[in-house]
Amino acid sequence: MSVTAMAERWVDEVARLTRPAEVIWADGTRQEYDGLVADMLRDGTLIEMNQLSYPGCYLHRSHPQDVARTEQLTFICTRSKDDAGPTNNWMAPAEAKERVGGLFRGSMRGRRMFVIPYLMGPRGSPMSRVGIMVTDSPYVVASMHIMTRVGRVALEQMRSPDDFVAGLHSLGDLSPERRFILHFPEEKLIWSVGSGYGGNALLGKKCHALRIASWQAREEGWMAEHMLILGLEDPEGRVTYLAAAMPSASGKTNLSMLVSALPGWRAWTVGDDIAWISVDGQGQLRAINPERGFFGVAPSTSGRTNPNATAMVRSNTIFTNVALTPGGEPWWEDMGTDPPPGLVDWQGQPWRPGGAPAAHPNSRFTAPVSQCPSVSPAWEDPQGVPISGFIFGSRRSRVIPLVFEAFDWQHGVFLGSAMSTETTAAITGQVGVVRRDPMAMIPFCGYNMADYFSHWLSIGPRLAKPPKIFRVNWFRRDDGGRFLWPGYGENVRVLRWIVERIRGTGTAVETPLGFLPTPEALDLSGLDLPRERLAQALAWDRGEWIAALGDLGAFYEPFGERLPASIREELHRMIRRLGG
Ligand code: GTP
Ligand code: SPV
Ligand code: MN
């Protein structure tokens, strides 16, 4: 199978616009990867790490103004503004091409242009999709090798000549003034210029697998979600698959590979960031992980919090913006070791104790899924894994209890739409500000979110047994600012209750919010957690909730008539249950 004429035509067109010195089709081989690495070591794009303790590991330092996704420079370019909706930045397609086209004109002069055919999803899966991405960044090509399936494997999976998402990426001058991440869902097209970082530049990830794919998913009746996928095995060996949406830097990677604090229970990792989910012939939801690598947050990753990740990044990993020890090893805050003398910070400067963090708070590792010790045997199953429960989690110091369960599908969709979270270093801007983030998709939904809620609502009735939906919050704090719940491997105690609820055995009390576990319903064996703290973690306050639902009503306002009536109805019901 070869490249279709249509793909070739698009690539030619792009080359005429960007004027590269050379056009190279990526084949995804080890040889190609090694060659790219050698080039980048020569020109300083990569720094070799200690090849004895970290074989195949390299450090990349990005431009200091290019360290996270930039949402204010990210646009959905649909013909109608309403189709992008009030929560997306919008530009008319013609205007976008006019404004940004100039930044691509001649942008690859003297540089190599790489064409990357990539497959999102397991080989041979009917749910997998193809992208063809053009870039002038070797770092992006190497990262795409880790994060996606590159080369013939992708071209072979095209079902028709135009069965691909086209992505044009150029580093430009890396200035935020000339940075744009544009999505044209009606043309299956992405344009990104001025950034070499993560979700801005690895176009298979957020741009394709969420923004464009969410549009396609609505048209075709499936779901593209910002979710981890894990299988929780009980002591009898039964595995229950769950998918969990949590905002950026709010615990997906950690939960997906947790090491269970409960004997006999075990988590199997299928994916850590994105789930593509469809309804099978039996009315069962099945999920695949479209990626083949993890682009995970480094700070706080330690033997205590995430030993699977610590093991996984010991080889064949590209680190971005971490600190470097004199011995050529990576270092970051809360990795479990003291900063060694002679530490060099993420910008290559000598680090001084008490100064700014040595590793950038959004520093990351890029590592293959296959290296994760907890990788699920089913992670590349072309049919996907059967999903029995959804979890919506966010980062809230107050108000939201540790865990509760929705009454039914519609109420669960409402709870997802009601999500808000404290911002993190994964996006540029202020950290710790509460913002709305329905289903953790506010930065990633490629269309009007009111239609997205309708789409979610439409899935439930198609299912033989709709998954139960849960709300979690690992991040609630006491008055002194300390987390009330220990988190990480201890989260299995919450997952166990969730699985028991799905099976109909776990106990709960009915509250105006939904079903809450009684303190006795959670297995706390071996955990030294004062009763009082657990009670605080599970507490809810009528007044706080009524106020929060007032804010939610204001958030719904701009959606107008497009907001599904049943979402508004759930809001009013909840206010009534609270006596407001
Ligand atoms: P993205 O890759 O940006 O989508 O992030 P993510 O959702 O995968 O988040 P990740 O698991 O990387 O966690 C982000 C931050 O939250 C890290 O600093 C973690 O240490 C911290 N974190 C994760 N799980 C927990 C938890 O259970 N409790 C607490 N207190 N912190 C956690
Ligand atoms: C996120 O921000 O949700 C990430 C990192 O997973 S990025 O790839 O930059 O989007
Ligand atoms: Mn993410």
Side-chain angles (χ1 to χ4, degrees):
M1 179 120 189
S2 60
V3 184
T4 65
M6 217 160 154
E8 269 178 354
R9 209 172 324 126
W10 177 71
V11 170
D12 288 347
E13 205 179 286
V14 165
R16 274 197 300 279
L17 177 66
T18 58
R19 300 261 153 229
E22 196 186 342
V23 177
I24 298 164
W25 281 78
D27 62 13
T29 57
R30 179 80 215 192
Q31 224 171 335
E32 175 174 81
Y33 183 84
D34 291 344
L36 288 163
V37 167
D39 293 345
M40 287 190 279
L41 288 172
R42 256 194 309 277
D43 72 12
T45 304
L46 290 184
I47 295 165
E48 189 165 71
M49 297 182 122
N50 187 324
Q51 294 299 300
L52 293 174
S53 53
Y54 282 84
C57 292
Y58 304 95
L59 169 64
H60 173 67
R61 294 192 182 120
S62 65
H63 187 283
Q65 288 206 71
D66 187 28
V67 294
R69 282 185 297 105
T70 39
E71 294 183 359
Q72 72 282 12
L73 307 174
T74 302
F75 292 82
I76 302 298
C77 309
T78 43
R79 286 187 299 262
S80 149
K81 183 171 191 213
D82 260 1
D83 288 343
T87 61
N88 278 311
N89 298 316
W90 175 83
M91 247 193 259
E95 183 206 337
K97 286 182 182 168
E98 176 70 30
R99 250 176 93 181
V100 178
L103 299 176
F104 284 108
R105 202 159 297 128
S107 70
M108 299 189 188
R109 228 176 232 121
R111 284 145 96 168
R112 290 179 294 176
M113 171 173 129
F114 299 91
V115 187
I116 314 169
Y118 62 89
L119 179 66
M120 300 307 288
R123 162 185 233 143
S125 170
M127 297 159 81
S128 295
R129 297 290 166 121
V130 176
I132 299 180
M133 153 170 200
V134 165
T135 181
D136 53 5
S137 161
Y139 165 78
V140 166
V141 186
S143 300
M144 288 291 284
H145 266 239
I146 299 175
M147 296 302 296
T148 72
R149 296 156 176 90
V150 170
R152 183 193 293 270
V153 62
L155 297 173
E156 279 173 356
Q157 190 115 2
M158 283 171 63
R159 283 161 281 213
S160 62
D162 72 339
D163 186 23
F164 65 95
V165 170
L168 168 55
H169 172 255
S170 177
L171 292 171
D173 65 4
L174 295 179
S175 156
E177 274 82 64
R178 283 171 292 284
R179 180 179 301 161
F180 291 95
I181 296 98
L182 308 178
H183 306 74
F184 305 88
E186 289 146 333
E187 299 171 58
K188 291 187 293 189
L189 176 67
I190 304 157
W191 274 14
S192 167
V193 65
S195 168
Y197 192 86
N200 289 341
L202 311 178
L203 301 189
K205 200 172 177 55
K206 299 301 167 58
C207 301
H208 176 165
L210 288 178
R211 298 196 191 96
I212 301 286
S214 62
W215 178 284
Q216 296 178 311
R218 183 198 38 169
E219 283 190 333
E220 299 165 13
W222 50 284
M223 307 164 87
E225 301 298 330
H226 190 204
M227 289 183 173
L228 68 90
I229 309 164
L230 71 79
L232 190 70
E233 184 176 336
D234 71 10
E236 285 77 53
R238 289 177 298 181
V239 179
T240 306
Y241 291 96
L242 307 169
M246 296 168 175
S248 303
S250 298
K252 290 183 302 302
T253 301
N254 279 270
L255 189 65
S256 75
M257 50 189 82
L258 79 86
V259 173
S260 165
L262 289 177
W265 292 78
R266 166 159 203 181
W268 296 100
T269 314
V270 178
D272 83 324
D273 198 48
I274 300 175
W276 284 357
I277 308 167
S278 58
V279 184
D280 75 8
Q282 280 70 53
Q284 169 68 51
L285 284 178
R286 305 197 75 96
I288 59 165
N289 172 9
E291 305 188 278
R292 74 172 282 276
F294 301 117
F295 183 59
V297 175
S300 293
T301 304
S302 73
R304 181 184 73 79
T305 59
N306 192 349
N308 283 321
T310 314
M312 164 179 97
V313 301
R314 287 305 290 238
S315 60
N316 310 313
T317 296
I318 299 177
F319 293 93
T320 300
N321 296 337
V322 299
L324 188 65
T325 73
E329 298 187 345
W331 192 89
W332 50 77
E333 276 65 25
D334 299 316
M335 106 186 281
T337 59
D338 291 332
L343 188 68
V344 168
D345 74 12
W346 65 277
Q347 299 191 72
Q349 301 301 316
W351 180 74
R352 273 173 217 66
H360 188 277
N362 192 37
S363 56
R364 298 216 171 217
F365 53 76
T366 311
V369 172
S370 57
Q371 287 189 188
C372 181
S374 58
V375 67
S376 163
W379 89 275
E380 292 191 285
D381 188 333
Q383 302 312 315
V385 296
I387 296 298
S388 309
F390 282 121
I391 299 172
F392 293 120
S394 75
R395 188 181 274 274
R396 289 298 306 271
S397 307
R398 305 163 49 75
V399 186
I400 314 289
L402 176 64
V403 60
F404 60 97
E405 178 193 328
F407 295 122
D408 53 30
W409 181 264
Q410 178 173 303
H411 180 231
V413 174
F414 162 75
L415 290 179
S417 82
M419 231 163 57
S420 57
T421 198
E422 289 151 25
T423 52
T424 65
I427 49 169
T428 57
Q430 233 182 319
V431 168
V433 183
V434 177
R435 73 159 177 181
R436 313 265 19 144
D437 194 356
M439 283 85 167
M441 281 290 278
I442 204 90
F444 306 122
C445 185
Y447 61 101
N448 190 314
M449 272 207 131
D451 300 348
Y452 171 78
F453 301 150
S454 298
H455 182 51
W456 260 88
L457 290 167
S458 76
I459 297 286
R462 292 171 56 198
L463 304 176
K465 186 172 180 253
K468 287 203 175 199
I469 298 179
F470 300 84
R471 180 73 172 86
V472 305
N473 178 23
W474 314 145
F475 297 93
R476 201 168 191 184
R477 296 177 196 252
D478 62 18
D479 291 336
R482 283 172 313 238
F483 290 117
L484 283 162
W485 176 251
Y488 302 105
E490 308 293 350
N491 291 334
V492 72
R493 302 174 191 278
V494 173
L495 296 186
R496 176 178 177 169
W497 180 76
I498 285 174
V499 166
E500 287 169 351
R501 290 297 296 171
I502 290 168
R503 293 192 184 144
T505 57
T507 51
V509 284
E510 191 174 334
T511 76
L513 315 191
F515 297 112
L516 251 85
T518 56
E520 300 71 37
L522 294 175
D523 181 349
L524 299 178
S525 52
L527 178 65
D528 187 17
L529 181 71
R531 276 259 141 168
E532 175 51 29
R533 287 184 80 76
L534 179 67
Q536 279 179 276
L538 287 171
W540 57 275
D541 179 271
R542 212 170 277 275
E544 280 183 343
W545 270 87
I546 290 172
L549 294 177
D551 291 350
L552 179 60
F555 168 68
Y556 287 157
E557 234 12 77
F559 293 109
E561 287 303 299
R562 236 156 142 150
L563 188 80
S566 47
I567 292 289
R568 216 181 288 277
E569 193 180 291
E570 287 293 337
L571 171 64
H572 292 140
R573 271 194 209 153
M574 190 153 182
I575 293 172
R576 267 201 307 278
R577 283 196 303 270
L578 286 159

